[in-house]
Amino acid sequence: MLNADDLAVFPVDVWISDAVQWVALNLRPLFLAIKWPIESLLTLIDGAMHDAPFPLVVILFTALAYMLASRKIAIFTAIVLVLVAAMGVWDPAMTTLSLITTAIFFCALIGLPVGIWCARSDRAWSIVRPILDIMQTTPTFVYLVPVVMLFGVGTVPGQVAVVVAAVPPLIRFTNLGIRMVDREIVEAGIAFGASSRQLLWEIQIPMAIPTILGGLNQTVLTAMVMSVVVAMIGAEGLGLVVLQGIGRLDVGRAVIGGIAIVLLAMMLDRITQKMAEPKRATARSRWLAALNLDRLLSRNGSSETVASQSGTNA
Amino acid sequence: MTERLRVENVYKVFSNTPQKAMERLAAGADKDAVQAELGVVVGLNDVSLSVPTGAIYMIMGLSGSGKSTLARCVNRLYEPTAGRILLDGEDIVQLNQNELRQVRRTRISMVFQHFALLPNRTAIENVEFGLKLRGLVPKKRRARAEEVLAIVGLDRWAYHFPHELSGGMRQRVGLARALATDADVLVMDEAFSALDPLIRNEMQDELLRLQHSLKKTILFITHDFQEALKLGNMIAIMADGRVMREGTPQSIVLDPGTDYVAAFTNDVDRSRLFDAASVMRPGSAVAERDGIRVIAASSTGGFAVDTKARILGRLDEAGLAKAKDGADIRAVLAPDFVSVAPDSKLLDVARKCRGIEDLAVTDSEGTFLGVLSPASILTAIAASSNAGQERHLEEKRHA
């Protein structure tokens, strides 16, 4: 009888180890160059978050949630942060948040231009799309292998893994958002003489923003998941709390880590989801209107005439 | 009238390799044959048009006739596969991207079926759009946009977003955006088709009113023959990417030429389309004495005019006979008569008819132009009603 193991003649594992070893040895400057900006920003944000007094952080995040989303979500944000502090996992939570904040920055830096490029070039999209497919079907766990080989272990390599795992949704949604812009409106732009740069900035990007923000929401959630998983390669944060809890059979510690993760994830999801909603009179538009006070006033002035005119025009 | 826009032998084949399809079209194959044979869609098949300055030129056709393709070829949203498009004598097909942008920014603007307004900008910002692309400073473009919004009657809605406006108002914004660039040529692609019938009617009147003072050259795409008749100085009827018939509204209704065109003209309300001038007869002088001339188109009555062709009065059948026999014309004429302007529509003329009495057609200075008999008005109107009625009977019989 033929045994399946008899067929194992391809030493794929050997080839891959050799290849990775070669890359790690010969392309070391490249990986250092990739690591440097990520490490710098992470150190900066992480330092700021840990050094800032606890009340200030709560106030800042609450204010941010109010501006980006709504009052309800601002209150929710404040409650989440206080609960996290009350459970005694404030420090690891701040590390996780700085991992995510850094990831958002680099994902936007990479994802937006790549997404725009894909939307404007079918050839680019046909190259990028299969790569995104592979990246998104790969379990987050599997990302750790090459990262450890190429970047080592610790929080910074963990951050690299978070960025790599979280960038595909943003590229996808940016591409989709721009491609989905109503054809007639794009035609209007061209018909009025827009150059391709004007078309992009005046029409395509403004109209794709709700979709792009939807992608940002996905990116944030993926970053959240990944920031926990990278605890396995030695990254600090809430993931490490859970991992330590499991390792020491300390169920309580593992669970509070888990609860804090869920709370933070809910908070980030609510804020970014609200941003992606089409705006009518949301907090954000009120906030924007406040910046442009005279326009606000003239709009209020003219709305008085709405009632009198609507009878004839409706 | 001079010619502003000329479309010469334009073809549009939707394919990256149109050569084969072009050969087949040149050999006389039509749109369907080429599509069946090569699987290639032909948008325009040898279209030539001449649009005079200041005219509203209607392109009328059903869906798939190529009318929107033609509109998009005029400003090269679609690149014509072959042919020339001359704007004031300059072939815009030959322009490079830079020159083309300049033409789009300053000389041809467009109004879209579904308005194509930017939802994230207020009405006035939408109107400014073309000027912003051109690089006009904010203050100047705001001033111009306010001006144009006032022209279309939306000055009080300037700071509202499109979703706060009704359909008719949105299209007014679309129209204002097109007018703001001061382009001579306006391409209106089914501009009123998405509006309710009442609002559409209102917008058509508005366009005619605006055109009266603005005198743009308008290429108006529509699938509605009634709209074409109402707005157009000229109409081109398209089918299968070709122009089937080109002419003035009245000439097309009078002589449709093909059954395809006749199918549209059957339903036309001729009493609203034809004017007095198209039905009147000049009449002939039957008597002339003492500087007074009697002009009649039949034996049932006539008009007495002076040397300057101003009407002095009407003669009935008996009076006409006496005048012919040499009686004093002044003694036999009745001072009251009905006169109509040459451009009044037959419907309005018919409302003025008194019994079987002939009507005089006079210009604004009272100069006699011709005679209209109630019978001739009826005949002109009935030509359509008959056709319409027969069709209704036919449908009833089938049902």
Side-chain angles (χ1 to χ4, degrees):
Chain A
M1 195 66 181
L2 182 68
N3 196 325
D5 284 340
D6 296 341
L7 267 180
V9 289
F10 288 127
V12 180
D13 53 346
V14 179
W15 298 343
I16 289 178
S17 332
D18 287 352
V20 171
Q21 210 158 35
W22 184 88
V23 168
L25 283 175
N26 293 282
L27 298 182
R28 190 163 172 74
L30 174 71
F31 294 109
L32 285 178
I34 292 172
K35 202 169 143 182
W36 180 77
I38 295 178
E39 183 169 14
S40 311
L41 188 72
L42 179 63
T43 314
L44 185 78
I45 293 178
D46 195 46
M49 295 255 246
H50 281 104
D51 291 346
F54 159 69
L56 184 68
V57 175
V58 175
I59 289 167
L60 277 179
F61 267 90
T62 307
L64 196 72
Y66 180 69
M67 286 195 305
L68 296 176
S70 69
R71 182 158 48 168
K72 245 166 91 182
I73 289 167
I75 294 168
F76 180 71
T77 301
I79 292 172
V80 165
L81 291 175
V82 171
L83 273 178
V84 166
M87 289 189 298
V89 286
W90 179 257
D91 268 346
M94 285 305 103
T95 306
T96 298
L97 272 183
S98 47
L99 276 169
I100 292 164
T101 314
T102 311
I104 291 171
F105 177 82
F106 283 102
C107 285
L109 199 70
I110 301 163
L112 293 178
V114 173
I116 291 168
W117 181 50
C118 289
R120 290 159 71 82
S121 154
D122 284 334
R123 183 172 297 174
W125 180 228
S126 69
I127 295 169
V128 172
R129 193 180 168 178
I131 299 175
L132 294 184
D133 286 342
I134 293 169
M135 285 171 80
Q136 286 188 294
T137 45
T138 305
T140 44
F141 190 64
V142 178
Y143 276 111
L144 304 181
V145 179
V147 167
V148 171
M149 301 298 281
L150 302 175
F151 294 93
V153 292
T155 306
V156 176
Q159 176 72 74
V160 174
V162 173
V163 171
V164 173
V167 78
L170 194 58
I171 296 176
R172 241 179 232 283
F173 276 67
T174 304
N175 169 61
L176 185 73
I178 291 175
R179 283 175 186 264
M180 274 196 336
V181 174
D182 184 17
R183 203 180 69 111
E184 210 182 49
I185 294 183
V186 174
E187 267 188 346
I190 300 171
F192 280 92
S195 61
S196 79
R197 181 178 299 180
Q198 283 173 325
L199 195 65
L200 182 67
W201 289 104
E202 296 284 337
I203 293 183
Q204 290 173 322
I205 290 184
M207 293 199 57
I209 276 180
T211 314
I212 294 174
L213 290 176
L216 188 71
N217 173 263
Q218 294 298 303
T219 287
V220 168
L221 292 186
T222 314
M224 184 78 216
V225 171
M226 199 61 192
S227 70
V228 174
V229 172
V230 291
M232 293 197 222
I233 59 168
E236 291 163 22
L238 290 171
L240 196 63
V241 175
V242 178
L243 208 63
Q244 283 170 347
I246 294 170
R248 296 172 195 163
L249 290 179
D250 182 350
V251 180
R253 187 159 172 78
V255 169
I256 56 164
I259 292 173
I261 288 165
V262 171
L263 285 174
L264 283 187
M266 279 170 70
M267 176 187 100
L268 292 171
D269 178 56
R270 292 296 177 276
I271 295 173
T272 50
Q273 210 172 53
K274 196 78 183 177
M275 283 163 66
E277 269 174 24
K279 272 135 207 112
R280 289 290 183 261
T282 60
R284 187 174 162 274
S285 70
R286 270 184 271 121
W287 174 59
L288 288 176
L291 291 177
N292 198 345
L293 201 65
D294 68 341
R295 200 179 92 174
L296 184 75
L297 291 177
S298 67
R299 280 200 61 192
N300 283 342
S302 61
S303 66
E304 283 161 23
T305 65
V306 173
S308 59
Q309 272 205 350
S310 57
T312 52
N313 277 305
Chain B
M1 262 193 280
T2 52
E3 181 185 72
R4 171 124 296 158
L5 186 69
R6 184 179 183 81
V7 175
E8 268 183 13
N9 309 105
V10 166
Y11 289 82
K12 174 64 188 173
V13 176
F14 291 98
S15 163
N16 292 328
T17 50
Q19 294 82 1
K20 221 170 187 176
M22 289 295 289
E23 280 166 24
R24 295 292 299 129
L25 290 173
D30 67 2
K31 176 189 163 122
D32 291 339
V34 172
Q35 190 162 357
E37 231 175 278
L38 303 168
V40 166
V41 177
V42 177
L44 298 175
N45 182 4
D46 195 12
V47 170
S48 296
L49 299 171
S50 165
V51 183
T53 306
I56 302 185
Y57 194 107
M58 309 295 292
I59 310 283
M60 190 263 157
L62 303 180
S63 51
S65 62
K67 56 187 192 301
S68 283
T69 308
L70 178 62
R72 282 166 172 68
C73 279
V74 165
N75 59 3
R76 279 176 64 192
L77 284 177
Y78 294 165
E79 291 291 340
T81 310
R84 304 206 299 164
I85 292 165
L86 303 169
L87 177 63
D88 290 325
E90 182 190 13
D91 187 3
I92 62 168
V93 179
Q94 302 299 328
L95 300 180
N96 65 31
Q97 283 301 316
N98 240 334
E99 294 164 333
L100 179 61
R101 258 201 303 279
Q102 284 313 312
V103 166
R104 285 168 175 167
R105 284 177 183 175
T106 56
R107 291 170 68 193
I108 301 179
S109 57
M110 196 163 176
V111 181
F112 292 84
Q113 181 174 6
H114 301 290
F115 326 130
L117 301 177
L118 294 168
N120 53 338
R121 301 204 190 161
T122 57
I124 198 160
E125 286 168 336
N126 268 291
V127 175
E128 281 176 19
F129 181 66
L131 304 172
K132 189 176 181 188
L133 295 181
R134 203 193 285 177
L136 211 63
V137 295
K139 214 171 182 176
K140 275 189 185 167
R141 64 181 191 236
R142 183 55 56 104
R144 172 67 185 150
E146 277 169 356
E147 211 173 286
V148 184
L149 270 177
I151 291 176
V152 299
L154 277 186
D155 34 346
R156 307 171 86 179
W157 296 84
Y159 294 93
H160 286 261
F161 286 92
H163 68 83
E164 297 170 319
L165 305 178
S166 69
M169 290 157 88
R170 284 183 214 179
Q171 194 56 298
R172 278 169 203 260
V173 175
L175 187 58
R177 176 174 64 180
L179 294 176
T181 63
D182 267 326
D184 310 316
V185 178
L186 239 64
V187 177
M188 302 183 71
D189 182 20
E190 300 251 17
F192 303 151
S193 300
L195 303 175
D196 300 332
L198 275 178
I199 306 290
R200 188 187 311 155
N201 217 4
E202 193 180 288
M203 288 298 288
Q204 289 165 348
D205 294 336
E206 177 88 6
L207 182 69
L208 288 173
R209 185 182 69 76
L210 288 173
Q211 173 67 358
H212 200 71
S213 51
L214 296 172
K215 306 216 185 319
K216 302 279 182 191
T217 304
I218 301 176
L219 195 66
F220 197 113
I221 315 300
T222 184
H223 63 256
D224 180 354
F225 192 61
Q226 302 293 343
E227 183 169 69
L229 292 178
K230 181 175 178 182
L231 298 177
N233 305 110
M234 286 285 281
I235 300 176
I237 296 178
M238 291 189 68
D240 293 334
R242 299 188 76 105
V243 175
M244 303 291 287
R245 178 83 164 80
E246 186 191 12
T248 62
Q250 296 191 14
S251 72
I252 288 180
V253 173
L254 273 180
D255 175 23
T258 59
D259 288 347
Y260 184 82
V261 178
F264 295 116
T265 61
N266 276 344
D267 283 343
V268 170
D269 180 355
R270 294 179 179 218
S271 67
R272 288 174 200 273
L273 175 67
F274 288 108
D275 54 23
S278 67
V279 181
M280 72 181 186
R281 279 175 293 170
S284 53
V286 293
E288 187 162 4
R289 266 189 309 281
D290 316 327
I292 301 175
R293 221 157 19 127
V294 175
I295 297 173
S298 65
S299 62
T300 57
F303 292 94
V305 300
D306 65 12
T307 46
K308 287 177 179 163
R310 256 191 291 273
I311 299 180
L312 299 168
R314 181 179 61 84
L315 293 88
D316 58 14
E317 191 168 357
L320 189 65
K322 282 179 190 167
K324 278 183 188 168
D325 293 342
D328 180 17
I329 297 171
R330 282 187 192 280
V332 294
L333 59 76
D336 65 317
F337 60 92
V338 181
S339 72
V340 294
D343 60 349
S344 48
K345 301 295 180 199
L346 290 185
L347 183 70
D348 301 319
V349 174
R351 283 180 180 142
K352 285 189 168 180
C353 280
R354 287 196 310 205
I356 57 157
E357 183 186 314
D358 282 356
L359 290 82
V361 181
T362 57
D363 66 14
S364 56
E365 269 133 43
T367 310
F368 177 82
L369 297 171
V371 182
L372 267 179
S373 70
S376 65
I377 297 170
L378 279 177
T379 315
I381 296 175
S384 65
S385 314
N386 272 345
Q389 222 155 25
E390 273 163 24
R391 225 174 47 137
H392 278 299
L393 288 176
E394 193 87 349
E395 279 165 13
K396 268 190 193 158
R397 241 176 277 139
H398 283 296

